[in-house]
Amino acid sequence: MSVRVVARVRPLLKSELDKDAIVEAVYSEDDPLVKPTIVRIPNPRNAGEDFSFQFNSVYDHHANQQEIFDNEVSPTIKHLFNGFDVTLFAYGVTGTGKTHTMRGGKALSERGVIPRLLSGIYRRSRKIEKDSQGNSTVEVSMSYYEIYNDRVFDLFEAPEKRTPSGLQLRDNGGKTVVVGLTERPCSSLKEFEQSYDQANVNRSTSATKLNAHSSRSHAVLCVRVSITTGDETKVSTASAIDLAGSEDNRRTDNGKERLVESASINKSLFVLAQCVEAISKKQQRIPYRESKMTRILSLGQNNGLTIMILNLAPVRSYHLDTLSSLNFANRTKKIEIKEIENEPMFRGPPRAVAPATGHSMHRQPLRPLAAAHNTIINGARNSTKGNDKPTKAFSVYSDRVKARLSATSNQTRKAEPLKRGSDTFNTTASRPTKALRPSDPLRGGKSQPEISKAGIEEMVEEKVEEILAARALNEPTKPLTEGISEQVQRRLELLEQKIENKEDTRAEGLTYLLMAKQHHVRGEEISALKMYQLALPYFPDNEKLASKISTLQEKLREKREQNNKPTLEPLRRPPPEPIVMPATKKTLDDPAEDDYAEPQEATSDGEYRETNGFKFKSKVRKPSKTKLPVFRDDEDELGLPSDGTPRTKNLLRIINTRDLSQIKLLKGVGAKKAEAIVDCLCSLEVDKSGEDGTALITSLGQLSSMKGVGAKTVENMRIGLSA
């Protein structure tokens, strides 16, 4: 028997128009009263061509819940009570009415397949009990779970009590079983509805653009029916599965969490399609285990009746999704399923198990061990055979080949098997036992006499002493002395402190290296050299660090020599007359001689120095704290006289134009800052002005001192012009 496929076209929604309907159920021209079996849909690539799909039955938007249940689901109830399993599952795209078909609404006329199925089960149960006059009893129990993000969760359990990994699946007799699943007995329809409604509250649902109450998981309801008649019990299961619909995230506008759920749903439905295709092509491997939903459904492997309810949307916006669902259902209807009845179970007294060695075997009560191979037997002590050596108490393993017994002894052993004394320790009453090894010298063909109570106690004491001696040898040795342990502890503490200090110092050295690297990247070579020198004591043997320090020192030395080169040239002046410098300030006799500056008080011996010509050396000033080197051009950093680079001139030209459109295009300057710069230029009062009588900015330092403009902003302006 193949899978029965039933197609149902949902009615139009309030937001949908009649002109957009493209899916129709085709009625027979000969007899319009016969229910249709063909679904017709146009070709999306050619509007003049239609595709037709034939199923077991087709229901249009006029069909109600009662009609679908009476024609499709109700006939399966009698098979359920005859011992067959029944599987119902709804398939379709999101928003096509799967949950409405399976669960339905609260009104009596809107009840879905599941409540009507349980109502039919309880009615038939009462009928069977009434007809059998109490000889047959029917028990109904249910379990309800969902598959959310490929994890199984019990819907009878609150979400906050669930484990993140969910319940595990196991195979039992060819069927997939959920481990730890709650199974509740339901004696009436009212009790079932209470449990069912309570479990549906725990199911994962959410609103999407296409469906206000979209199911985010596959829900599986298992109803177990047990019919007991005397000692015979028939058990059958009805499974109702509400599958979540496949989603196109471009249409649903799903968020982050909804996207994860949608990916899990689409993956499980894709695996289901792969399983159906593999079954239709009769492939050897069917990928049931790639998804938990397909593993539970096991389409094609379950025995009994299977009904697939295909839910379709009639409008054009679902055109491609509807066509895909129809193709899937067309392949599913070709799957053959074995209609096999479940075997009944019997209750009765336990069956008698036959003894393993025959009816002649009678068990005797346990006695003290008298013939153990590692025990000194009284008879063995008495038989000394002319030598004074005692008999070995234990069998010792040896590589030597043991002496073979003679033929006569073998014949004697076969003729007279080893016997054990009876309850009265009489050697005449014997009992057959297992054959003994011929290599054991302590086991003879005759039965051994009993050991006395004193002998047993003596052997137990010897065995205990041997065990204690062996345990004493295996115990670990104790530490030597307390003094040594304290020294070791002290050395360990010193070693730990040394390691911690070493790690701290290494971390500090790495900090200096990191700071040096940052200074080096920014071009601050002096600061980078200082950081490298501070890090050198922490890494004294690092050749790479030493080479970096020497390279930076050489580079700074060359730059210093290049900067001092113009000042070392001698000034060619006429030799002055010898002048005696008085302690107080005096002016020169000839005021016309302006080649000489008015001398200042000597603050140190090195204030004046003699060269080829007289040269006045200005007083040494402390370096200013302003970061003017940031705005200096390359020529100024080398000490050469220059009016500015083209980049600086271009920046000052743009600022002096007072054009907002040009100024706000500079890097780091927006519309508000450009207006502030123009306002500041208008309010700036300087001595020098342009031809038009406006104030001009002549240097980067002057520009950085303006209100709202800082050194960083000016540097960004210059960098933007060079980019």
Side-chain angles (χ1 to χ4, degrees):
M1 183 179 179
S2 60
V3 177
R4 183 176 178 83
V5 179
V6 179
R8 183 183 186 184
V9 183
R10 70 163 172 82
L12 293 173
L13 302 178
K14 294 181 180 180
S15 60
E16 298 172 348
L17 304 177
D18 293 337
K19 63 180 181 179
D20 294 333
I22 58 174
V23 180
E24 59 177 343
V26 181
Y27 288 86
S28 176
E29 297 179 356
D30 300 335
D31 191 0
L33 298 178
V34 178
K35 57 184 180 181
T37 58
I38 297 176
V39 176
R40 184 179 295 169
I41 184 172
N43 187 352
R45 297 183 179 179
N46 186 6
E49 182 182 2
D50 292 337
F51 291 142
S52 298
F53 297 89
Q54 186 174 7
F55 303 112
N56 295 99
S57 57
V58 178
Y59 297 90
D60 58 5
H61 61 280
H62 297 293
N64 53 28
Q65 301 277 57
Q66 184 67 36
E67 182 181 355
I68 295 175
F69 174 78
D70 292 340
N71 296 333
E72 305 300 334
V73 183
S74 181
T76 62
I77 297 178
K78 62 180 181 180
H79 295 281
L80 182 66
F81 280 85
N82 290 333
F84 294 93
D85 292 339
V86 178
T87 302
L88 308 172
F89 70 96
Y91 182 88
V93 190
T94 180
T96 55
K98 297 180 299 299
T99 304
H100 177 75
T101 301
M102 299 299 292
R103 189 195 306 178
K106 294 294 183 181
L108 189 62
S109 60
E110 294 295 328
R111 286 171 36 180
V113 170
I114 293 176
R116 295 176 188 271
L117 175 64
L118 267 295
S119 179
I121 289 174
Y122 284 114
R123 282 200 305 268
R124 195 170 186 87
S125 300
R126 290 193 297 268
K127 185 176 182 301
I128 290 175
E129 292 177 353
K130 184 178 180 180
D131 294 343
S132 64
Q133 298 179 357
N135 295 329
S136 299
T137 58
V138 180
E139 296 179 357
V140 180
S141 60
M142 62 174 292
S143 58
Y144 198 20
Y145 58 94
E146 68 174 354
I147 305 173
Y148 177 73
N149 288 345
D150 207 33
R151 290 174 293 180
V152 180
F153 297 106
D154 191 353
L155 289 177
F156 287 134
E157 188 177 12
E160 58 271 10
K161 295 182 180 180
R162 297 175 180 175
T163 57
S165 59
L167 303 179
Q168 302 299 320
L169 301 181
R170 295 290 183 269
D171 293 333
N172 183 16
K175 295 183 180 180
T176 303
V177 180
V178 181
V179 180
L181 189 63
T182 304
E183 186 172 355
R184 288 188 179 181
C186 300
S187 58
S188 62
L189 181 61
K190 184 177 181 181
E191 186 177 352
F192 163 78
E193 289 179 349
Q194 291 178 353
S195 301
Y196 185 62
D197 294 340
Q198 178 186 357
N200 284 325
V201 175
N202 298 330
R203 188 180 176 187
S204 300
T205 58
S206 180
T208 62
K209 189 176 180 181
L210 299 180
N211 191 356
H213 300 281
S214 176
S215 300
R216 314 310 298 169
S217 62
H218 308 296
V220 182
L221 173 68
C222 296
V223 180
R224 182 174 177 177
V225 180
S226 303
I227 307 172
T228 304
T229 304
D231 297 338
E232 181 181 351
T233 303
K234 286 185 178 180
V235 179
S236 54
T237 304
S239 301
I241 304 172
D242 179 16
L243 297 178
S246 59
E247 295 181 347
D248 187 356
N249 294 316
R250 295 172 296 182
R251 299 175 57 199
T252 55
D253 292 343
N254 287 332
K256 182 178 179 182
E257 186 177 358
R258 303 286 88 81
L259 282 174
V260 175
E261 297 170 351
S262 178
S264 177
I265 294 170
N266 292 339
K267 176 190 173 184
S268 60
L269 295 176
F270 176 71
V271 175
L272 178 61
Q274 284 184 323
C275 294
V276 172
E277 186 176 2
I279 294 172
S280 61
K281 293 183 179 180
K282 297 182 180 180
Q283 297 180 358
Q284 294 182 354
R285 181 185 178 275
I286 302 174
Y288 287 116
R289 291 182 172 270
E290 292 186 6
S291 174
K292 290 186 178 180
M293 187 268 289
T294 55
R295 186 177 175 187
I296 291 172
L297 185 59
S298 298
L299 194 62
Q301 287 189 340
N302 49 353
N303 301 327
L305 305 177
T306 301
I307 299 176
M308 171 184 173
I309 302 177
L310 176 63
N311 294 88
L312 302 173
V315 292
R316 191 178 299 275
S317 58
Y318 288 86
H319 197 165
L320 296 178
D321 295 328
T322 302
L323 193 60
S324 176
S325 300
L326 289 170
N327 288 324
F328 172 79
N330 195 39
R331 290 192 298 267
T332 305
K333 72 178 183 179
K334 301 176 184 178
I335 298 176
E336 296 292 335
I337 296 178
K338 300 177 183 179
E339 192 172 347
I340 301 175
E341 181 181 355
N342 294 330
E343 295 182 359
M345 297 181 293
F346 296 91
R347 295 180 183 177
R351 299 177 182 178
V353 181
T357 56
H359 296 283
S360 61
M361 195 73 181
H362 298 285
R363 282 200 171 272
Q364 299 180 2
L366 298 176
R367 299 195 197 99
L369 186 60
H373 68 280
N374 59 348
T375 306
I376 302 176
I377 304 174
N378 294 333
R381 291 178 179 176
N382 298 331
S383 58
T384 55
K385 293 187 179 181
N387 54 0
D388 297 335
K389 293 182 179 180
T391 308
K392 292 182 179 180
F394 299 92
S395 296
V396 182
Y397 175 77
S398 175
D399 293 334
R400 298 178 183 178
V401 180
K402 297 182 180 180
R404 297 182 179 178
L405 299 177
S406 60
T408 56
S409 62
N410 288 337
Q411 293 176 359
T412 305
R413 180 163 297 181
K414 289 180 181 180
E416 299 179 1
L418 183 62
K419 297 180 181 180
R420 180 178 178 182
S422 61
D423 295 341
T424 57
F425 302 101
N426 187 8
T427 57
T428 58
S430 61
R431 176 190 178 190
T433 58
K434 294 182 180 180
L436 299 177
R437 292 177 294 181
S439 60
D440 197 344
L442 297 180
R443 297 195 179 192
K446 300 180 181 180
S447 59
Q448 302 295 340
E450 182 191 3
I451 303 177
S452 62
K453 186 175 181 180
I456 294 174
E457 293 179 356
E458 182 180 1
M459 288 186 292
V460 170
E461 292 178 359
E462 293 178 358
K463 193 68 177 178
V464 169
E465 290 178 358
E466 292 178 2
I467 293 173
L468 293 177
R471 186 177 299 175
L473 292 175
N474 295 332
E475 288 181 355
T477 57
K478 298 181 180 180
L480 297 177
T481 57
E482 296 181 357
I484 296 177
S485 61
E486 292 179 358
Q487 293 178 2
V488 172
Q489 184 69 21
R490 192 180 300 108
R491 291 182 61 186
L492 289 174
E493 291 177 357
L494 294 175
L495 184 61
E496 289 178 358
Q497 293 178 0
K498 185 177 181 181
I499 292 174
E500 291 177 359
N501 296 334
K502 187 175 181 180
E503 290 180 354
D504 295 341
T505 54
R506 181 177 177 84
E508 189 175 356
L510 291 174
T511 304
Y512 286 131
L513 286 178
L514 179 60
M515 295 171 63
K517 188 68 176 179
Q518 293 175 351
H519 287 300
H520 201 181
V521 169
R522 291 196 295 263
E524 302 171 356
E525 297 175 351
I526 297 177
S527 300
L529 179 60
K530 291 181 179 179
M531 292 296 106
Y532 281 132
Q533 290 175 348
L534 290 174
L536 185 60
Y538 299 100
F539 308 98
D541 300 332
N542 197 324
E543 298 179 356
K544 188 175 180 180
L545 179 60
S547 63
K548 282 186 178 181
I549 293 175
S550 60
T551 303
L552 283 175
Q553 289 176 348
E554 185 67 25
K555 190 174 181 180
L556 291 174
R557 188 182 302 109
E558 293 177 358
K559 186 174 289 188
R560 194 180 302 110
E561 292 176 356
Q562 192 173 3
N563 293 338
N564 296 333
K565 186 175 181 180
T567 60
L568 295 177
E569 295 181 359
L571 297 175
R572 297 179 180 178
R573 299 179 183 274
E577 297 180 1
I579 298 175
V580 179
M581 300 298 299
T584 60
K585 294 184 179 180
K586 291 184 179 182
T587 58
L588 296 176
D589 295 336
D590 190 1
E593 295 289 335
D594 55 354
D595 292 336
Y596 299 95
E598 184 175 340
Q600 299 178 359
E601 293 183 3
T603 57
S604 62
D605 296 340
E607 186 71 26
Y608 298 95
R609 62 178 180 179
E610 292 184 2
T611 58
N612 294 338
F614 180 80
K615 179 182 176 182
F616 175 76
K617 184 177 180 181
S618 60
K619 189 176 181 180
V620 179
R621 297 179 181 179
K622 295 182 180 180
S624 60
K625 296 183 180 180
T626 59
K627 297 183 179 180
L628 290 180
V630 176
F631 311 113
R632 290 180 183 173
D633 299 326
D634 297 337
E635 292 82 4
D636 291 339
E637 290 180 359
L638 298 177
L640 298 177
S642 175
D643 295 336
T645 60
R647 181 172 59 182
T648 303
K649 292 179 179 179
N650 189 20
L651 175 60
L652 297 177
R653 180 185 62 78
I654 293 173
I655 296 297
N656 292 325
T657 58
R658 302 187 182 184
D659 188 0
L660 290 175
S661 60
Q662 295 185 20
I663 296 175
K664 69 181 181 180
L665 292 177
L666 296 173
K667 184 178 180 181
V669 180
K672 293 184 178 180
K673 188 169 288 188
E675 293 178 359
I677 293 174
V678 173
D679 294 342
C680 188
L681 285 173
C682 293
S683 61
L684 186 66
E685 294 181 2
V686 292
D687 296 338
K688 295 182 179 182
S689 62
E691 296 179 357
D692 55 352
T694 57
L696 299 177
I697 301 300
T698 59
S699 65
L700 297 178
Q702 188 179 359
L703 178 60
S704 65
S705 62
M706 295 176 64
K707 183 179 180 180
V709 182
K712 191 66 177 180
T713 305
V714 175
E715 183 65 20
N716 291 336
M717 293 180 186
R718 295 180 74 251
I719 294 174
L721 289 176
S722 63

